[in-house]
Amino acid sequence: QVQLAESGGGSVQAGESLRLACVASGYTFTNKFMGWFRQAPGKEREGVATIYATRTYPSIWYANSVRGRFTVSQDNTEHTIYLQMNNLKPEDTAMYYCAAATGVRPQRLLEAVPEYNAWGQGTQVTVSS
């Protein structure tokens, strides 16, 4: 059974950085799609970044709102992905989730479509101005 656990959230000032981690248990994400999503109060869950992890060169997609500020990476154990968030803004405040598409490729990589069928509990990021 796939279990995902996020960590690294916190409260920071605008312009500061955080690094989130997503550890997968019972699952290796090589040649699979993993996504970072966020949900602010009263808003729909939105995609932040997606990685198709490989042993050599992963493919990565970013939402326009975070491109150039956020970076997704994987570690060599094939169990952890990271989201490095730089130059944080108050509008980045949200609960951040990682998700895995354990079967087929998601039809829309940066949307919380049903193909993302395993989710973590989330980690809160709060950015104050």
Side-chain angles (χ1 to χ4, degrees), residues 33 101 104-116:
F33 288 89
V104 299
R105 173 191 172 111
Q107 290 198 11
R108 293 180 292 280
L109 296 176
L110 291 172
E111 293 184 29
V113 293
E115 291 83 4
Y116 286 109

Side-chain angles (χ1 to χ4, degrees), residues 10 15 28 34 39 71 80 97 114 118 126:
T28 56
M34 297 286 293
Q39 188 166 19
T71 303
T80 304
Y97 301 90
T126 303

Side-chain angles (χ1 to χ4, degrees), residues 3 11 15 23 31 35 45 54 58 60 66 74 82 93 97 103 126:
Q3 291 187 320
S11 296
V23 178
N31 298 327
R45 190 168 297 188
T54 72
I60 300 173
V66 306
Q74 62 185 72
Y82 301 96
T93 294
Y97 301 90
T126 303

Side-chain angles (χ1 to χ4, degrees), residues 41-121:
K43 295 188 176 181
E44 292 188 356
R45 190 168 297 188
E46 63 174 355
V48 173
T50 294
I51 181 170
Y52 181 76
T54 72
R55 289 193 174 92
T56 53
Y57 300 106
S59 298
I60 300 173
W61 296 261
Y62 294 101
N64 289 336
S65 59
V66 306
R67 186 175 293 113
R69 299 187 298 122
F70 290 12
T71 303
V72 175
S73 61
Q74 62 185 72
D75 77 352
N76 292 331
T77 68
E78 303 175 278
H79 293 289
T80 304
I81 61 170
Y82 301 96
L83 182 67
Q84 176 68 42
M85 306 186 295
N86 297 329
N87 189 22
L88 282 160
K89 303 176 180 181
E91 52 264 41
D92 295 319
T93 294
M95 185 72 78
Y96 282 71
Y97 301 90
C98 68
T102 65
V104 299
R105 173 191 172 111
Q107 290 198 11
R108 293 180 292 280
L109 296 176
L110 291 172
E111 293 184 29
V113 293
E115 291 83 4
Y116 286 109
N117 56 352
W119 291 82
Q121 294 298 307

